[in-house]
Amino acid sequence: MCGIVGYVGSGEAKDFLLEGLKRLEYRGYDSAGVALIEKEKLRVVRAVGRVSELEGKTEIFSHPSHTGIAHTRWATHGKPSEKNAHPHSDCHGKISLVHNGIIENYLTLKEKLTKKGHRFRSETDSEVIAHLIEENMKTKGENFEKALLATLKCLKGTYGLAIIAKDSPGKLWVARMGSPLVIGVGNGENYIASDVSAMLSSTRKVVYLEDGEWAEVTAEGYAVKRGIKTASKVAVDVEWSEEVARKEGYAHFMIKEIFEQPESIAHAFRGRMEIEEGLARLGGLREVKERLRGIKRLLIVSCGTSYYAGLVGEYMIEEYAGIPVEVEFASEFRYRKPLIDKDTAVLVISQSGETADTLAALREAKQKGALTLGIVNVVGSTIARETNAGVYNHAGPEVSVASTKALTSQLTILALLTVYLGRQRGMSATMGKRILEELSAIPKKVEKILQLAPLLKRLAKKYQNTETLLYLGRKYQYPIALEGALKIKEIAYVGVQGYPTGEMKHGPIAVIDSKALVVLLIPQDSVFEKSLSGMQEILARGARVLALTTEGKDLIPKHKNVEVLKIPKTLEMLLPMLSVVPLQLFAYYMSLAKGYDVDKPRNLAKSVTVE
Ligand code: M6R
């Protein structure tokens, strides 16, 4: 996720752009850049770091400028650096553009364009768009609009684009496919941005572009088209405050991020599946592919929610790839004497890529000669840099302290990794295909689960004062019971326990009485009957049960103390990606009901960079 902004009008473009970027920094903050048409020249300035770094460098713009675009980056392709920062230009510096999204077929396009003599300066997917427009200008009689349309037709993936051209001062073009884009309507000036929060101090009249639409924007107006046909668009008034706009209308980042999951899961697998062949394509592992073929043991090391993702990964990889896996808290691993040999790979999982314990564990593993791999969300973070190889989540920035979309994207990658490692060993193409097909259907199923939000809100309100709360799950659902309990601890401050269902009888059952609430994860999976016996034991002690099961036959016996929630079916190994969503919603609404600060829970930090 990145933030883009643009201006065309009679005012000073730079002022609006820098202000807009600062408001969009929550979308990405590893580098930033601005391009302005100044005295018939296209000038670009870029900087690593936050927008304030860029601001210092814009002193070089000495003349007034009335057309410009800018970008704050959340790296996906290519580490955060000045050359990878946007705007990107064509070979001759005639076109400049900013992009939010992922161009899946950029490598094929880059190869073709390179053969035609185009010179690339960055490692990004976005730069191909500038060169493609340049190339298409040649074949479309230097007609910019025709060249742009031809370019958009070649792109696979997602984009929110804003483009300016040296030869057309006073104009900017935008296009949208899967990444948000808004035109702000001013008086003698117009604006564009990834979201309205960037422009609320200048205008409250906006036009939302839909997927497949593009537009030419000038100081006097805007013309929106779909292909070559004019699309009639009506400007609407925005009544949101700036703070609410940043959260795109959601009350908190946590709920926004929960609702982003269909998209963030799709981002995590986009371009990484060859479904027909049953293969996972993980470019970040290319260089260690042969070493991975030979590993005999995998150690997964991480903290918090990322640790629970690792536990699910253990079940997936052992079951389908046949590699022995152990999962360990990084804070423990770093201080004991782990036995690692040349056949062991150590996989660290971290949203932030900066967690001190995970980083120390990674360094320890490296020092012992292990092959180190990472699943990291923040591109260019320390852990991402220091692992031998890895896979990025592409989930976009996670702002809420309570992690949600990072987990489901980690699980997506672990499923891909399972197919990758499995197919190197005994897994058949049919099984690989089956897993990938099911994985590609997950975003739609998550969308369906999100419709349970009003019900979960009611349940959270009803149970907000429960003092004894227990989360139970078995096999693939056990790590999700732990995660559900962690979410409640973190934001609703309840001393809840997460346990394997089968372990309940070895102790936790003592706390179960008529005042207790048990959240039981009981999908119709390979251990359903066993979980059902667990439920009877709970009911016999008078507790209430919130049973989370899968759609299909009603196999949960009716009981006055049982409330049933249903989620769609999928492969057992992928069910955690679905069952966790209602638990995230339950925790969110419980925190809300109790009046707590959901996004900034007490005593916690987003990234734990101290021991
Ligand atoms: O950035 P990381 O994934 O390395 O962070 C690990 C934990 O600190 C993190 O998951 C923490 O437990 C979250 N607050 C969970 O919601």
Side-chain angles (χ1 to χ4, degrees):
M1 200 160 88
C2 304
I4 67 175
V5 53
Y7 176 91
V8 55
S10 50
E12 183 50 65
K14 183 178 87 176
D15 297 344
F16 173 82
L17 296 176
L18 289 174
E19 200 46 47
L21 280 192
K22 283 183 198 156
R23 290 170 209 258
L24 289 184
E25 264 194 317
Y26 78 96
R27 300 180 68 89
Y29 37 75
D30 60 46
S31 51
V34 58
L36 296 171
I37 300 181
E38 200 188 67
K39 280 196 127 195
E40 291 163 28
K41 281 203 179 106
L42 191 51
R43 300 189 68 188
V44 180
V45 171
R46 298 177 290 185
V48 174
R50 305 198 80 124
V51 175
S52 49
E53 304 291 327
L54 175 72
E55 198 167 15
K57 288 177 118 183
T58 54
E59 296 304 320
I60 64 152
F61 294 117
S62 44
H63 302 285
S65 162
H66 308 297
T67 310
I69 50 176
H71 187 272
T72 173
R73 183 166 185 246
W74 171 264
T76 56
H77 295 67
K79 61 179 185 294
S81 67
E82 207 170 303
K83 78 174 168 66
N84 287 334
H86 298 219
H88 291 290
S89 304
D90 59 328
C91 293
H92 297 96
K94 287 181 152 190
I95 299 161
S96 202
L97 63 82
V98 286
H99 169 224
N100 169 29
I102 296 177
I103 304 301
E104 288 167 23
N105 58 337
Y106 85 103
L107 278 176
T108 324
L109 294 171
K110 193 169 177 176
E111 220 173 274
K112 282 188 191 155
L113 290 161
T114 308
K115 279 189 189 141
K116 289 189 171 164
H118 289 262
R119 283 169 290 110
F120 284 80
R121 301 175 194 94
S122 76
E123 301 156 274
T124 66
D125 52 336
S126 313
E127 192 185 346
V128 292
I129 309 171
H131 292 277
L132 201 51
I133 297 175
E134 180 180 37
E135 188 60 31
N136 286 329
M137 288 285 275
K138 292 181 205 157
T139 54
K140 300 288 174 192
E142 299 298 313
N143 179 314
F144 187 87
E145 284 191 8
K146 286 187 180 161
L148 175 62
L149 266 180
T151 300
L152 297 180
K153 277 190 191 149
C154 298
L155 303 180
K156 279 195 193 143
T158 56
Y159 51 80
L161 270 179
I163 313 157
I164 53 175
K166 179 168 89 76
D167 298 337
S168 302
K171 280 187 184 174
L172 72 85
W173 292 269
V174 286
R176 174 190 161 137
M177 183 62 76
S179 301
L181 227 152
V182 193
I183 301 174
V185 185
N187 202 351
E189 55 188 5
N190 287 308
Y191 326 91
I192 69 95
S194 297
D195 71 55
V196 291
S197 63
M199 51 178 78
L200 286 184
S201 54
S202 302
T203 184
R204 288 190 164 261
K205 243 187 194 350
V206 303
V207 176
Y208 292 97
L209 285 199
E210 303 296 331
D211 281 351
E213 290 180 344
W214 64 280
E216 181 187 285
V217 185
T218 61
E220 292 75 38
Y222 56 90
V224 182
K225 291 187 181 171
R226 181 174 283 279
I228 52 168
K229 288 200 184 122
T230 302
S232 70
K233 303 288 286 188
V234 187
V236 291
D237 288 315
V238 179
E239 277 155 23
W240 293 344
S241 69
E242 219 164 272
E243 178 63 8
V244 174
R246 241 160 51 91
K247 294 172 190 151
E248 290 168 16
Y250 290 102
H252 297 95
F253 280 108
M254 181 178 177
I255 189 73
K256 172 175 174 275
E257 287 158 10
I258 291 173
F259 272 80
E260 272 170 5
Q261 289 178 109
E263 202 188 327
S264 52
I265 291 169
H267 274 316
F269 65 60
R270 186 167 280 134
R272 291 170 164 169
M273 303 200 286
E274 288 174 22
I275 296 188
E276 284 314 308
E277 290 74 33
L279 291 170
R281 196 171 51 191
L282 297 173
L285 301 184
R286 204 176 299 132
E287 294 193 353
V288 296
K289 190 173 175 185
E290 288 317 311
R291 273 187 83 184
L292 280 174
R293 206 184 286 282
I295 60 158
K296 304 244 169 1
R297 180 170 162 249
L298 183 68
L299 268 176
I300 303 181
V301 184
S302 41
C303 303
T305 292
S306 300
Y307 169 81
Y308 301 142
L311 287 179
V312 177
E314 174 184 22
Y315 288 21
M316 288 179 178
I317 295 169
E318 290 204 337
E319 181 168 357
Y320 288 94
I323 304 173
V325 182
E326 287 153 60
V327 191
E328 188 159 351
F329 285 116
S331 53
E332 286 298 309
F333 179 90
R334 62 183 293 192
Y335 287 119
R336 59 179 198 90
K337 193 185 160 205
L339 298 178
I340 293 172
D341 59 23
K342 61 174 182 24
D343 297 330
T344 306
V346 174
L347 168 67
V348 291
I349 305 178
S350 175
Q351 187 287 130
S352 60
E354 302 294 348
T355 300
D357 286 326
T358 312
L359 182 59
L362 163 67
R363 288 178 176 159
E364 182 62 20
K366 265 183 117 172
Q367 205 268 331
K368 290 197 154 54
L371 167 67
T372 58
L373 311 169
I375 296 178
V376 177
N377 192 33
V378 179
V379 175
S381 55
T382 314
I383 292 177
R385 289 199 312 271
E386 294 196 12
T387 41
N388 295 122
V391 187
Y392 283 120
N393 298 29
H394 294 331
E398 191 179 67
V399 180
S400 164
V401 168
S403 185
T404 54
K405 66 174 180 171
L407 172 75
T408 43
S409 66
Q410 287 162 349
L411 296 177
T412 308
I413 307 227
L414 284 162
L416 292 174
L417 185 64
T418 301
V419 174
Y420 186 93
L421 295 171
R423 295 285 279 124
Q424 284 188 329
R425 292 162 175 83
M427 185 190 286
S428 67
T430 317
M431 179 48 78
K433 184 175 175 203
R434 172 97 207 280
I435 296 174
L436 298 178
E437 271 173 351
E438 287 287 342
L439 187 59
S440 66
I442 293 289
K444 279 266 165 296
K445 294 182 182 180
V446 173
E447 265 170 34
K448 195 169 173 204
I449 296 170
L450 291 171
Q451 291 168 11
L452 295 175
L455 171 62
L456 284 152
K457 188 174 183 176
R458 279 200 300 280
L459 291 170
K461 211 166 170 212
K462 176 172 165 188
Y463 292 116
Q464 62 174 299
N465 295 319
T466 308
E467 278 171 24
T468 308
L469 190 49
L470 204 61
Y471 276 65
L472 300 178
R474 195 163 192 143
K475 204 175 168 186
Y476 280 100
Q477 297 305 317
Y478 159 54
I480 299 308
L482 298 179
E483 169 63 6
L486 177 68
K487 287 288 93 88
I488 293 276
K489 278 180 235 182
E490 283 189 296
I491 58 171
Y493 313 148
V494 181
V496 48
Q497 297 270 21
Y499 253 92
T501 312
E503 187 66 15
M504 179 183 60
K505 56 187 175 296
H506 297 287
I509 199 161
V511 302
I512 295 182
D513 60 13
S514 61
K515 288 198 244 77
L517 171 69
V518 178
V519 176
L520 182 69
L521 306 177
I522 180 170
Q524 292 180 26
D525 57 10
S526 59
V527 288
F528 176 75
E529 277 79 21
K530 303 274 169 213
S531 307
L532 208 54
S533 322
M535 187 168 110
Q536 300 301 356
E537 287 162 17
I538 299 161
L539 290 174
R541 278 145 191 93
R544 288 151 305 164
V545 173
L546 210 55
L548 189 69
T549 190
T550 31
E551 288 166 351
K553 270 194 183 165
D554 279 333
L555 296 181
I556 309 263
K558 302 246 174 311
H559 189 286
K560 66 174 180 25
N561 277 8
V562 181
E563 278 169 287
V564 179
L565 282 172
K566 289 194 175 172
I567 57 170
K569 287 181 176 165
T570 184
L571 273 186
E572 185 171 316
M573 67 172 272
L574 302 177
L575 265 174
M577 299 175 70
L578 302 182
S579 58
V580 75
V581 179
L583 306 190
Q584 297 167 341
L585 288 165
F586 189 57
Y588 171 75
Y589 288 120
M590 191 175 282
S591 174
L592 214 61
K594 293 177 140 203
Y596 297 142
D597 186 343
V598 178
D599 282 335
K600 293 196 189 70
R602 70 185 185 202
N603 306 339
L604 296 175
K606 181 63 188 157
S607 178
V608 187
T609 52
V610 290
E611 212 185 313

